[in-house]
């Protein structure tokens, strides 16, 4: 009876595990980071380094983490302590990094909720500027920037001019964050039993929305401009090393390696689950979703760029008509350029007066504006959506999709913290499942409220850029070296044969032993060099007067905090190794006198 | 006779106000009919101009409340193919006197909506250059609509959490009761649990599967 009670909970069926991995891996990065990289590094040509890196590092590392989790049947701390007691710190580092991620990632879900709730209005609030107090015009900050930027920076974030100005907590944001954490709790309250049912929805619904958006997107006016622009490969970009580095890091972070979530998910599998096939399937699904999402994004880009281009032409047309008092139908959108040259020729002095107000309307320049991250998701996309017919419906669909992508990833992040905690018998005995999960959620919520203050977005950006990137590289590098050389590939192969029934073939072994570590080491070195050469870290602050972002340097405490973020997770590894070493020395010291005693008695006899 | 005719001819210009571009009390009006109405655009002609003069006269009457303005008191000049022109409003009692710019502006602002609708146009397509549009008062409902949706969603989530927690609690109590019965049964039968009930965990720390069947120990 007791053995059954302590038996590890498990997924109801292997499909739940696969969907959980898909839900975790397919996240916001597929939607807002990959299209940007594609655009920056030569469109269709970027597929080559991307797919190559998937084969060289993505799938092997993913396979490795699943194997460890399924074999050890413990969370990251327990699993790595079991592999090598000196390297239990790798598990602790994973948990710390997951904690940082949980703190700030749910704030994105809070923003998605905010936008989603604000979509239930007859006019989308980011479609128009609000009227100023004496009703003569629009609010100045909104005039200088665009209504979508105003809505994001002023009404959603109420952002302060720099990281130094802390303000009060934004009540709406705080409420949405509370809601986000409550939903996370609802999804994980019973561990895998509840998570397993939720992932059916969180993994599949985003695809439904993406397909709907694909159909809507490619039928939009001007969408083809964007898609053509994306797929025209600029193969000269392949010569730039940054292309390859970005491809490697994108694969790495997109699959969510190093956080311990994959180990945690796999630890709930049956011993003989065929994770080899599942690893390949999930990795391929993740990459194809990125490509699919970027087709959608580029059709939206094309629509937005064409819309802006045609608005520009319309403005110029009106300007010419009004200045030269010509009848309305003489100039159409098509012959604006012709008329510009014509009027310059016939009325040169009048035209000279006009010159400062004349913008050059360039479609390619509009398409070239590459945006990533929250700027893409919340500003560019919402700008495109407000111009679509039936914009409220599209807005609701889009932000629901963002929410599900974010929630799916949060499930993995929180599971990565809770699973190792539950492995400590002290905690498991004194706290029930529900209580422990609730405490973790409340803790993260309280700390996360700091991101809802007026300067919260700047701290968010800091966490986003420094909280997980470098530490993950370090963690996964230690992981692969441990598995390949400290634990030993032979022993690892035997474990896999034990679970799957066959040994991994030569491809896996070469990747684990040689290729992936080399790639990771070079990425690691590149990151360090980049940090050192980059000088003082900077961030983008929103200037309300100018209506755009300006670059500012972090103050001393900001830089200290960045250092703390980087060091706190990385130093878990050496500290734990030292601790294990000291404990071993202590144990040896205790057992030595007994040996001496027995030896002396033997010699006497 | 001839000189009298000359005198008579010269009188009307002196009597009527000279409308010109950039007159200090004049306003320029610009209509963008084709932009606003597309295929259903009407042509701008004398009748439409007459309607315009009538609406301005109406606006002045409404604003001043007693002075009787007529279409002849609205003087229009400088018409262009763009469909833009200048107009000046003259005092009905003294046609040489122009109504000041500010009064005209006030009158137009008060009746702007009526003027726009007479021409099926909006503030952007029927422009009075120099008169800022009166933007509609933003409709602020008592509760912001997003709070309503938020309330619904958070209520549902709370209900879900409470339901799950209660069902876990009830299940736990039932399991405890079943365990009590099972233990009572065991005691009655006198079963000896002994060592088989203990797990390895209580003795040697955590049972470590990594080292269960290997032949080479990791050197500590």
């Amino acid at each position: 009876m007791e053995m059954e009670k302590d038996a590890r909970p498990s997924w109801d069926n292997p499909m739940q595990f696969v969907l959980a991995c898909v839900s975790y891996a397919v996240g916001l990065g597929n939607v807002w980071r990959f299209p940007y990289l594609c655009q920056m590094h030569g469109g269709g040509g970027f597929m080559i380094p991307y797919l190559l890196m998937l084969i060289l590092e993505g799938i092997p590392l993913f396979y490795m983490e699943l194997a460890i989790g399924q074999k050890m049947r413990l969370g990251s701390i327990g699993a790595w302590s079991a592999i090598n007691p000196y390297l239990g710190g790798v598990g602790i580092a994973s948990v710390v990094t997951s904690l940082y991620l949980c703190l700030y990632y749910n704030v994105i879900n809070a923003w998605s909720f905010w936008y989603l709730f604000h979509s239930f209005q007859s006019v989308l609030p980011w479609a128009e500027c609000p009227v100023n107090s004496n009703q003569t015009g629009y609010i100045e900050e909104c005039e200088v920037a665009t209504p979508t930027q105003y809505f994001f920076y002023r009404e959603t974030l109420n952002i302060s001019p720099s990281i130094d100005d802390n303000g009060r907590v934004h009540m709406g944001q705080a409420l949405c964050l509370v809601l986000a954490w409550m939903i996370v709790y609802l999804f994980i309250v019973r561990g895998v039993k509840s998570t397993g049912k939720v992932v059916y929805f969180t993994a599949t619904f985003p695809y439904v929305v993406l397909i709907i958006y694909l159909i809507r997107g490619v039928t939009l006016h001007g969408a083809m401009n964007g898609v053509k622009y994306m797929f025209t490969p600029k193969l000269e970009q392949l010569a730039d090393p940054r292309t390859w580095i970005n491809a490697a890091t994108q694969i790495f972070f997109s699959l969510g390696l190093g956080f311990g979530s994959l180990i945690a998910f796999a630890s709930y599998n049956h011993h003989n689950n065929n994770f080899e096939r599942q690893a390949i399937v999930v990795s391929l699904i993740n990459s194809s979703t990125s490509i699919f999402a970027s087709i959608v994004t580029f059709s939206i880009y094309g629509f937005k760029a064409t819309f802006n281009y045609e608005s520009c032409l319309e403005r110029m047309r009106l300007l010419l008509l009004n200045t030269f008092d010509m009848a309305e139908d003489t100039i159409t959108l098509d012959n604006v350029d012709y008329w510009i040259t014509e009027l310059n020729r016939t009325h040169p002095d009048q035209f000279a007066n006009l010159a400062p107000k004349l913008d050059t309307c360039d479609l390619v320049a509009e398409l070239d504006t590459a945006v990533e991250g929250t700027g893409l998701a919340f500003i560019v996309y919402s700008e495109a959506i407000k111009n679509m017919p039936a914009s409220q419906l599209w807005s609701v669909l889009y932000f629901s999709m963002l929410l599900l992508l974010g929630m799916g990833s949060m499930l993995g992040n929180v599971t990565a913290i809770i699973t190792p905690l539950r492995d400590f018998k002290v905690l498991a005995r004194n706290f029930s499942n529900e209580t422990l999960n609730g405490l973790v959620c409340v803790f993260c919520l309280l700390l996360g409220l700091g991101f809802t203050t007026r300067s919260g977005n700047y701290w968010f950006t800091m966490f986003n850029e420094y909280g997980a990137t470098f530490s993950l590289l370090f963690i996964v590098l230690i992981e692969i070296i441990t598995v390949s050389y400290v634990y030993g590939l032979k022993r690892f192969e035997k474990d896999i044969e034990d679970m799957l029934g066959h040994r991994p073939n030569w491809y896996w072994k070469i990747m684990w032993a040689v290729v992936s570590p080399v790639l990771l080491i070079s990425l690691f070195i590149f990151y360090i060099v980049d940090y050192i050469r980059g000088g003082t870290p900077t961030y983008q602050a929103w200037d309300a007067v100018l209506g755009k972002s300006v670059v500012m340097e972090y103050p001393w405490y900001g830089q200290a905090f960045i250092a703390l973020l980087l060091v706190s997770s990385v130093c878990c590894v050496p500290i734990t190794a030292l601790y294990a070493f000291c404990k071993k020395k202590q144990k040896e010291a205790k057992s030595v006198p007994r040996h001496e005693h027995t030896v002396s008695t033997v010699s006497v006899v | 006779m001839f000189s009298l005719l000359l005198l008579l001819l010269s009188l009307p210009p002196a009597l009527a106000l000279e409308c010109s571009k950039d007159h200090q009390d004049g306003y320029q009006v610009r209509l963008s009919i084709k932009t606003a109405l597309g295929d259903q655009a009407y042509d701008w002609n004398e009748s439409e101009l007459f309607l315009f003069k009538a609406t301005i006269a109406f606006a002045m009457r409404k604003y001043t409340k007693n002075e009787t303005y007529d279409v002849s008191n609205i003087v229009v000049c400088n018409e262009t193919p763009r469909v833009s022109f200048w107009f000046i409003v003259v005092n009905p009692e003294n046609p040489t006197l122009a109504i000041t710019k500010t009064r005209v502006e006030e009158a137009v602002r008060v009746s702007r909506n009526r003027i726009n609708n007479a021409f099926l146009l909006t503030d952007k397509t029927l422009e009075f250059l120099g008169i800022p549009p009166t933007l509609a008062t933003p409709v602020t409902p008592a509760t912001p609509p997003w709070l309503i949706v938020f309330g619904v969603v958070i209520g549902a989530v709370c209900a879900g959490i409470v339901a799950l927690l209660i069902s876990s609690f009830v299940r736990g109590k039932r399991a405890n009761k079943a365990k009590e019965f099972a233990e009572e049964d065991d005691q009655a039968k006198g079963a000896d649990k002994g060592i088989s009930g203990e797990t390895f965990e209580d003795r040697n720390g955590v049972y470590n599967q990594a080292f269960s069947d290997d032949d080479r120990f990791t050197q500590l």
Side-chain angles (χ1 to χ4, degrees):
Chain A
M1 274 293 278
E2 280 187 57
M3 288 288 271
E4 276 179 34
K5 201 169 70 176
D6 288 344
R8 199 171 181 74
S10 65
W11 303 104
D12 289 336
N13 54 55
M15 185 54 129
Q16 283 187 358
F17 169 65
V18 172
L19 289 178
C21 289
V22 167
S23 181
Y24 167 67
V26 173
L28 295 170
N30 299 67
V31 170
W32 74 30
R33 174 86 178 147
F34 181 79
Y36 168 79
L37 288 178
C38 221
Q39 191 172 13
M40 293 302 289
H41 296 295
F46 186 68
M47 298 299 159
I48 299 175
Y50 185 71
L51 291 174
L52 205 60
M53 289 300 166
L54 178 68
I55 297 173
L56 292 181
E57 71 167 330
I59 302 183
L61 291 172
F62 198 85
Y63 183 114
M64 176 193 78
E65 291 217 355
L66 290 190
I68 291 168
Q70 190 165 310
K71 169 71 188 171
M72 302 304 168
R73 297 179 66 85
L74 289 171
S76 50
I77 299 181
W80 291 104
S81 305
I83 286 184
N84 185 322
Y86 282 134
L87 289 176
V90 172
I92 300 180
S94 290
V95 172
V96 170
T97 314
S98 286
L99 182 67
Y100 292 153
L101 188 72
C102 277
L103 287 179
Y104 80 81
Y105 201 82
N106 228 6
V107 176
I108 305 175
N109 290 331
W111 294 339
S112 300
F113 270 121
W114 174 266
Y115 270 81
L116 176 67
F117 295 150
H118 277 85
S119 308
F120 291 94
Q121 288 178 359
S122 51
V123 175
L124 291 176
W126 54 87
E128 294 175 341
C129 280
V131 175
N132 66 12
S133 40
N134 50 5
Q135 295 190 319
T136 49
Y138 299 113
I139 295 185
E140 212 186 294
E141 186 180 349
C142 192
E143 291 272 5
V144 178
T146 61
T148 39
Q149 283 178 318
Y150 177 79
F151 184 76
F152 183 63
Y153 288 112
R154 188 55 47 215
E155 300 205 13
T156 309
L157 301 174
N158 196 12
I159 207 165
S160 57
S162 78
I163 202 171
D164 304 304
D165 307 312
N166 298 316
R168 290 173 47 241
V169 165
H170 187 297
M171 281 319 295
Q173 286 304 305
L175 285 176
C176 289
L177 187 63
V178 168
L179 177 63
W181 275 110
M182 283 176 70
I183 292 187
V184 170
Y185 179 63
L186 182 66
F187 287 169
I188 54 145
V189 66
R190 290 229 192 106
V192 275
K193 286 302 171 195
S194 47
T195 309
K197 300 196 177 38
V198 163
V199 292
Y200 282 113
F201 185 61
T202 60
T204 51
F205 186 74
Y207 287 99
V208 173
V209 177
L210 271 176
I211 291 175
I212 296 176
Y213 251 94
L214 181 71
I215 300 174
R216 169 75 274 201
V218 296
T219 52
L220 284 172
H221 171 63
M224 279 307 143
N225 294 335
V227 178
K228 250 190 303 189
Y229 184 78
M230 171 195 163
F231 279 113
T232 334
K234 301 184 197 61
L235 287 172
E236 59 273 12
Q237 283 283 341
L238 289 183
D240 183 3
R242 288 199 81 95
T243 307
W244 296 87
I245 291 167
N246 279 336
T249 38
Q250 174 59 17
I251 286 282
F252 184 81
F253 293 130
S254 179
L255 286 173
L257 304 166
F259 284 107
S261 311
L262 295 170
I263 296 181
F265 279 153
S267 70
Y268 297 112
N269 277 339
H270 287 298
H271 190 68
N272 297 92
N273 177 48
N274 184 358
F275 62 91
E276 177 171 343
R277 201 177 43 188
Q278 289 166 346
I280 300 176
V281 163
V282 173
S283 310
L284 287 178
I285 290 180
N286 182 49
S287 294
S288 2
T289 310
S290 290
I291 299 174
F292 184 47
S294 55
I295 300 179
V296 177
T297 304
F298 274 91
S299 48
I300 305 272
Y301 264 158
F303 166 69
K304 175 177 147 345
T306 311
F307 187 86
N308 287 348
Y309 171 67
E310 288 182 354
S311 308
C312 175
L313 283 179
E314 176 69 21
R315 277 200 317 273
M316 292 305 109
R317 172 180 162 264
L318 272 178
L319 190 61
L320 290 176
L321 283 178
N322 294 345
T323 320
F324 294 98
D325 280 324
M326 294 157 30
E328 265 182 285
D329 42 5
T330 40
I331 308 183
T332 63
L333 284 183
D334 304 318
N335 50 22
V336 172
D337 294 316
Y338 161 74
W339 276 104
I340 288 179
T341 38
E342 181 70 21
L343 290 169
N344 198 2
R345 196 174 53 84
T346 49
H347 302 82
D349 26 301
Q350 248 187 318
F351 201 84
N353 287 340
L354 201 54
K357 284 189 259 177
L358 216 58
D359 298 326
T360 35
C361 301
D362 185 2
L363 182 61
V364 179
E366 292 279 345
L367 283 171
D368 257 338
T369 51
V371 187
E372 60 160 336
T374 51
L376 171 61
F378 292 104
I379 298 179
V380 171
Y381 253 94
S382 42
E383 194 175 314
I385 288 173
K386 78 171 202 264
N387 295 324
M388 292 184 198
S391 46
Q392 290 86 353
L393 167 69
W394 298 107
S395 181
V396 167
L397 265 181
Y398 171 68
F399 288 110
S400 313
M401 178 188 75
L402 276 194
L403 260 178
L404 283 171
L405 289 174
M407 279 298 171
S409 301
M410 273 307 287
L411 289 180
N413 296 331
V414 178
T415 309
I417 299 177
I418 287 175
T419 307
L421 284 183
R422 280 214 78 78
D423 291 335
F424 287 114
K425 288 298 162 195
V426 174
L427 289 173
R429 253 192 290 254
N430 296 336
F431 294 103
S432 74
N433 227 349
E434 291 85 0
T435 322
L436 185 61
N437 297 348
L439 285 176
V440 171
C441 290
V442 168
F443 177 71
C444 291
L445 167 65
L446 291 176
L447 288 184
L449 282 177
F451 293 110
T452 58
T453 57
R454 293 194 59 194
S455 57
N457 191 42
Y458 301 129
W459 292 98
F460 169 87
T461 316
M462 185 199 291
F463 267 76
N464 194 20
E465 282 182 27
Y466 300 102
T469 43
F470 183 77
S471 345
L472 280 182
L473 276 176
F474 179 74
I475 290 171
V476 179
L477 183 60
I478 304 277
E479 282 186 7
I480 186 81
I481 290 180
T482 307
V483 167
S484 297
Y485 299 104
V486 177
Y487 187 69
L489 261 188
K490 284 213 176 352
R491 205 161 5 145
F492 194 54
E493 275 182 83
K494 260 184 61 178
D495 291 336
I496 293 178
E497 189 183 20
D498 195 33
M499 288 190 281
L500 292 181
H502 63 267
R503 288 182 179 242
N505 64 28
W506 58 269
Y507 157 71
W508 301 109
K509 288 191 278 190
I510 293 182
M511 295 302 142
W512 289 328
V514 179
V515 179
S516 300
V518 165
L519 265 175
L520 284 176
I521 289 176
S522 35
L523 278 182
F524 193 68
I525 293 176
F526 162 75
Y527 257 85
I528 296 180
V529 167
D530 210 42
Y531 274 143
I532 297 174
R533 278 216 308 207
T536 329
T538 58
Y539 65 102
Q540 302 260 19
W542 176 254
D543 189 327
V545 173
L546 292 176
K548 59 189 189 78
S549 299
V550 292
V551 175
M552 291 178 80
E553 278 186 2
Y554 279 113
W556 67 267
Y557 58 87
Q559 296 179 36
F561 200 80
I562 293 176
L564 183 67
L565 277 179
L566 293 174
V567 164
S568 57
S569 46
V570 165
C571 72
C572 289
V573 179
I575 288 180
T576 316
L578 204 63
Y579 175 71
F581 185 71
C582 291
K583 254 180 79 178
K584 188 199 128 200
K585 283 280 175 232
Q586 256 187 2
K587 232 195 249 174
E588 275 180 5
K590 257 193 249 167
S591 53
V592 158
R594 245 180 276 143
H595 276 218
E596 283 179 357
H597 182 75
T598 45
V599 164
S600 58
T601 46
V602 164
S603 64
V604 160
V605 166
Chain B
M1 188 63 189
F2 189 56
S3 51
L4 198 60
L5 203 63
L6 264 175
L7 196 63
L8 278 172
L9 279 172
S10 59
L11 267 178
L15 282 175
L17 187 64
E18 207 176 294
C19 162
S20 64
K21 225 172 91 148
D22 302 321
H23 190 280
Q24 54 162 11
D25 291 317
Y27 272 106
Q28 184 177 13
V29 179
R30 193 148 62 202
L31 289 96
S32 312
I33 308 172
K34 292 206 174 54
T35 317
L37 301 170
D39 290 330
Q40 295 167 346
Y42 47 82
D43 293 320
W44 186 258
N45 50 30
E46 281 300 314
S47 320
E48 304 283 348
L49 190 60
F50 179 81
L51 179 60
F52 178 79
K53 292 185 188 175
T55 51
I56 299 293
F58 160 76
M60 295 302 301
R61 283 197 191 201
K62 190 167 165 195
Y63 178 66
T64 54
K65 288 192 194 37
N66 51 5
E67 296 168 35
T68 44
Y69 285 85
D70 198 6
V71 278
S72 51
N73 300 130
I74 318 293
V75 182
V76 167
C77 59
N78 270 86
E79 291 184 56
T80 66
R82 171 69 181 84
V83 192
S84 75
F85 46 83
W86 284 77
F87 76 95
I88 307 172
V89 183
V90 298
N91 196 326
E93 276 131 40
N94 188 354
T96 48
L97 217 55
I99 305 288
T100 51
K101 203 162 176 160
T102 40
R103 278 178 70 96
V104 175
E105 175 176 340
E106 307 264 303
V108 167
R109 287 195 78 179
V110 165
S111 310
R112 187 66 184 266
N113 201 26
R114 301 292 295 275
I115 302 175
N116 285 350
N117 280 328
F119 291 95
L120 306 173
L121 296 173
T122 65
D123 278 351
K124 288 195 97 174
T125 40
L126 172 56
E127 298 166 78
F128 286 82
L129 295 175
I131 301 182
T134 319
L135 299 166
T137 333
V139 179
T140 40
T143 357
W146 77 269
L147 262 183
I148 300 173
V149 188
F150 171 80
V152 168
V153 175
I154 206 170
V157 171
C158 280
I161 290 178
V162 166
L164 268 178
L165 288 177
I166 289 181
S167 79
S168 301
F169 183 65
V170 163
R171 208 195 293 171
K173 267 178 84 174
R174 234 180 270 157
N176 273 343
K177 258 197 214 160
K179 211 175 75 166
E180 277 174 29
F181 283 144
E183 279 178 7
E184 281 174 20
D185 278 344
D186 282 341
Q187 278 174 6
K189 286 187 203 161
D192 185 20
K193 280 264 178 151
I195 291 179
S196 58
E198 283 182 36
T199 62
F200 273 61
E201 288 170 18
D202 300 328
R203 291 268 203 81
N204 307 331
V206 177
Y207 178 54
N208 199 333
Q209 287 172 302
F211 296 97
S212 58
D213 55 350
D214 68 3
D215 32 24
R216 184 174 62 100
F217 286 99
T218 311
Q219 298 302 317
L220 275 178

